[in-house]
Amino acid sequence: MTQGETQELLAILKVAYPAAYRDFSRDNLWAVVKLWAAQFADVPADVMGVAVARLISKSKYPPTIAEVN
């Protein structure tokens, strides 16, 4: 995934779990984007989208990198 694709994916998580990201500063959000983009650089965005959608449908808590992986 690119950083742009990662931003789109994390925007979905932010909507699905608004309380989890409510107090994040702009710098914190950018750090999260960079970390997730680095961790999933070799994973296609569509595969990540499916993984995140499945986790959103099953969990009331935001997924960690390990859970998405």
Side-chain angles (χ1 to χ4, degrees):
M1 285 193 341
T2 66
Q3 282 190 350
E5 291 167 335
T6 303
Q7 284 178 303
E8 291 175 17
L9 185 75
L10 289 170
I12 293 167
L13 287 173
K14 188 175 178 183
V15 170
Y17 304 101
Y21 299 96
R22 178 183 43 223
D23 296 328
F24 277 43
S25 69
R26 200 179 242 327
D27 289 338
N28 290 134
L29 289 172
W30 184 240
V32 171
V33 168
K34 288 174 30 179
L35 176 62
W36 279 61
Q39 290 294 310
F40 297 112
D42 296 333
V43 180
D46 59 333
V47 172
M48 286 295 294
V50 170
V52 167
R54 286 182 181 171
L55 287 166
I56 287 171
S57 71
K58 295 179 182 180
S59 179
K60 60 183 176 178
Y61 301 106
T64 64
I65 288 173
E67 290 170 323
V68 174
N69 199 18

